Amino acid sequence: MYYTQEQIDRANQADLVSFLQSQGEQLTRAGNEYRWKRHDSLTVRGNKWYRHSQSKGGGPVDFVMEFFGKSFTEAVELLTGEKGAVPPPDRPCPASLSDFRLPPPNSDNRTARNYLTAARRIDEDVTGFFFARGDIYEDAAHHNAVFVGRDEDGIPRYAHSKGTAGNFRLDVKGSDKAFNFCYRGESDRLFVFEAPVDLLSFLCLFKKAWQKQSYLSLGGVGEKALLRFLSDRPNIKTVYLCLDSDQAGNDACSRLAELVPEGYTVHRLVPLFKDWNEVLQHRAEITDGKYIREAVYGLKEPPQEETVEIIRMSEVDTQTVEWLWEPYIPFGKVTIVQGNPGEGKTTFALRLAAACTTGGTLPGMKPLPPFQVIYQTAEDGLGDTVKPRLIEAEADLDRVLVIDEAKRELTLSDERIEKAITQNEARLIILDPIQAYMGEKTDMNRANEVRPMFRRLADVAERTGCAVILIGHLNKAAGGQSAYRGLGSIDFRAAARSVLLIGRVKREPNVRVIVHDKSSLAPEGKPVAFCLDPETGFSWIGEYDITADELLSGAGGNTTTKTEQAEKLILDLLADGKELASEDIVKAAAEAGISERTVKNARRNLDTRIEVIRRGNQWYYRRNEAKSAK
């Protein structure tokens, strides 16, 4: 259709505030201007608009083409409400397909290639694929990178020029936004992006078998290219909206999901940073390969039948577990530490927190650089109990953080947990005890109430990579199996990837043992003990022979039993005045199923009943007959 210059001028004199309000869009006043809720960095005033995030603006016709995905003639019609006339034979309509010409290419693509690989860090094999097809090239006049969109017959119908220096970007005159930059695969899945650079960045991040899928750039957030692509490709069944992680992207995803015709499944993939190129720029820092902040499934589902989304294990990226203390406490997962009151749970938690803030270690723990720790307690005073004990543990107090609960109590599903972890780059959060953070309306014995709360907390741990430790009390069911001694629903234990049990050894009241009672990510670690001596204070003992059920039963565990066995074995070996090297005693004990640690404990218990003699580099033992006879 053809519009006169007078009609075009009327369109460009339209009041954008009134136009947006007539389209049902929400605006907020900011002085003499208005902000558009859908694009919070964009302001309008009269017939002018300006997008601050891109230093770009213009008049109403440009605005409608940019943000509503309309062609030039469609934009004039929408703004004026007037139909165009058939163009005179000697004059084509403005921006018609006959006006569309690809900018002349440069003799080589060196500048454009360098811009995409060096400045945008897009892999050369990805850019090379599209350069070879002619879907990306460098124009001769300005050395811009030109992204070409083709129709189903391969005919160029659209082109976008992106400056290789500065912020220049512009659709080539006559471009039809219905045919944007894309790649057509044979599978039934389509991934949708705001810009070509984000599309290319996504391919670099998820490169495995990428040519099977289809990918589409919208050239903004308009729906025109998406609807045309779906119309031309009836094999598409699932649409993944991969728009920017900002308010404009959020709003566009909601709008596009509604506009997608019935019969499609629509999901959203939210990038870890604002957009996919920013994620690519930080790829080296994301060691766990988790480039997606959130996957929102089911924005739209086919109404006629229920579908089950299937994840093929061949498409799942293998990820290694990061450990705070292997194999007891993983990063990015929930760990529960439980035990009876007064048996060392808080002492252990504070010692762990102190070590993390200074780069210290626990037995068998690999050194880590110091990091921030969030410590929440509902049972101990910060000033009179927690801080003095942290000082005693030699913690870096500047790295121990507490979420202020003065105005609102914290719960496991509170959004402040994730914000505090992210804002402070914390790698460990401890909540002591679990029961205090369930929320007053949550029945901790009801699985249907516990599961969603733990699921949200586990998702927070997964997204942030932070280790989450929950301190829990045991119930009073004495003698029961350890799996059923946790207070509240068994789902507490089921949701945790690791469960540690801390208890007091009956025959050694100063000794506390940490037993690895559940481990979903690695073989269970050996029990580890520490001493709380009234005179000398805290000290690590090391490995200890005892089971969770034995520790809970109060029987003292097989450490006590085997220690007594070891004592008898040593005395028997040294009977009749025999003298043996220490390594021979250890070997004999090993054959009897007694560990070297237990032998050392037994030797200490025997004290003066045996004599220790050193010859060269070897230690020898014999009975002190005078002491043994007493």
Side-chain angles (χ1 to χ4, degrees), residues 144-388:
N144 296 324
V146 180
F147 299 90
V148 180
R150 304 175 187 273
D151 61 21
E152 284 287 323
D153 296 323
I155 298 172
R157 302 285 294 275
Y158 168 89
H160 177 78
S161 293
K162 177 68 182 73
T164 52
N167 296 320
F168 174 79
R169 61 184 72 188
L170 185 68
D171 287 350
V172 173
K173 181 182 177 183
S175 289
D176 187 345
K177 289 183 81 78
F179 299 95
N180 225 290
F181 180 79
C182 69
Y183 173 80
R184 298 175 176 89
E186 296 302 321
S187 83
D188 61 1
R189 299 197 293 178
L190 169 65
F191 296 80
V192 181
F193 305 85
E194 291 190 24
V197 168
D198 289 320
L199 187 159
L200 298 173
S201 301
F202 187 89
L203 299 185
C204 297
L205 297 169
F206 301 97
K207 193 175 291 185
K208 185 175 180 179
W210 70 263
Q211 294 182 26
K212 294 181 180 179
Q213 328 300 336
S214 292
Y215 305 86
L216 172 67
S217 167
L218 299 177
V221 293
E223 69 276 6
K224 195 169 184 179
L226 174 58
L227 298 181
R228 182 58 187 251
F229 196 98
L230 296 176
S231 174
D232 289 341
R233 305 287 288 185
N235 64 306
I236 299 297
K237 300 209 179 329
T238 305
V239 177
Y240 291 84
L241 299 177
C242 307
L243 276 56
D244 292 357
S245 178
D246 57 14
Q247 191 60 49
N250 297 340
D251 293 343
C253 283
S254 299
R255 179 174 55 83
L256 291 173
E258 294 179 1
L259 293 173
V260 169
E262 296 296 337
Y264 292 92
T265 298
V266 181
H267 305 311
R268 185 185 182 196
L269 302 181
V270 183
L272 183 61
F273 296 105
K274 178 183 176 296
D275 57 47
W276 296 103
N277 188 247
E278 189 175 349
V279 176
L280 183 64
Q281 299 272 359
H282 292 84
R283 175 168 52 178
E285 304 164 23
I286 308 172
T287 55
D288 58 5
K290 297 174 183 176
Y291 305 127
I292 299 174
R293 178 182 299 279
E294 182 182 10
V296 184
Y297 296 107
L299 289 181
K300 188 167 193 166
E301 298 283 359
Q304 67 273 22
E305 62 178 349
E306 291 186 11
T307 59
V308 178
E309 288 301 316
I310 297 297
I311 299 174
R312 298 186 185 278
M313 291 307 298
S314 60
E315 299 174 356
V316 175
D317 292 332
T318 303
Q319 298 178 355
T320 57
V321 179
E322 278 194 275
W323 295 97
L324 192 162
W325 183 26
E326 187 175 2
Y328 306 97
I329 303 174
F331 281 117
K333 309 293 180 183
V334 175
T335 298
I336 291 178
V337 176
Q338 56 189 14
N340 289 318
E343 298 210 336
K345 300 185 302 298
T346 301
T347 297
F348 165 71
L350 290 171
R351 287 281 165 171
L352 173 65
C356 292
T357 63
T358 61
T361 59
L362 277 57
M365 178 178 172
K366 295 181 180 179
L368 292 170
F371 54 78
Q372 309 268 49
V373 174
I374 299 174
Y375 186 84
Q376 297 296 130
T377 177
E379 294 188 337
D380 298 314
L382 298 181
D384 58 15
T385 303
V386 176
K387 183 174 180 178

Side-chain angles (χ1 to χ4, degrees), residues 373-554:
V373 174
I374 299 174
Y375 186 84
Q376 297 296 130
T377 177
E379 294 188 337
D380 298 314
L382 298 181
D384 58 15
T385 303
V386 176
K387 183 174 180 178
R389 294 176 74 175
L390 285 169
I391 293 174
E392 180 187 356
E394 300 181 346
D396 181 349
L397 298 182
D398 284 335
R399 294 183 184 271
V400 182
L401 316 174
V402 181
I403 300 172
D404 191 347
E405 300 185 58
K407 295 181 180 179
R408 177 161 56 100
E409 291 184 350
L410 198 70
T411 67
L412 296 184
S413 57
D414 197 314
E415 73 281 355
R416 289 178 292 171
I417 290 178
E418 183 167 7
K419 289 180 180 178
I421 292 171
T422 304
Q423 292 171 3
N424 296 283
E425 298 182 347
R427 301 209 68 195
L428 169 64
I429 180 169
I430 300 171
L431 296 107
D432 182 9
I434 306 173
Q435 293 84 350
Y437 296 97
M438 295 299 297
E440 60 180 11
K441 295 182 179 180
T442 302
D443 185 343
M444 58 188 295
N445 294 297
R446 297 176 69 91
N448 64 323
E449 297 184 26
V450 169
R451 285 176 190 161
M453 187 171 286
F454 265 72
R455 177 67 184 178
R456 286 192 290 270
L457 185 64
D459 288 344
V460 169
E462 191 84 22
R463 285 195 296 270
T464 61
C466 182
V468 176
I469 292 182
L470 305 176
I471 308 296
H473 297 317
L474 297 175
N475 60 42
K476 297 180 181 180
Q481 292 184 1
S482 61
Y484 298 96
R485 287 294 309 277
L487 199 60
S489 168
I490 190 67
D491 282 74
F492 280 110
R493 177 186 176 90
R497 299 298 86 199
S498 179
V499 177
L500 304 179
L501 176 67
I502 296 183
R504 184 195 307 257
V505 178
K506 186 176 181 180
R507 296 191 187 184
E508 298 179 83
N510 292 339
V511 175
R512 309 291 192 273
V513 182
I514 305 168
V515 177
H516 204 184
D517 196 29
K518 173 189 173 181
S519 179
S520 300
L521 303 173
E524 292 177 359
K526 294 182 179 180
V528 178
F530 59 90
C531 181
L532 294 178
D533 191 286
E535 296 182 3
T536 61
F538 179 95
S539 62
W540 287 104
I541 295 174
E543 292 182 8
Y544 207 90
D545 291 327
I546 196 168
T547 68
D549 292 333
E550 287 170 340
L551 186 65
L552 291 174
S553 70

Side-chain angles (χ1 to χ4, degrees), residues 570-580 610 621-623:
I570 292 172
L571 292 175
D572 289 345
L573 290 172
L574 301 179
D576 301 325
K578 291 181 181 177
E579 183 179 289
L580 289 176
I610 60 173
Y621 297 89
R622 67 186 178 194
R623 293 178 65 164

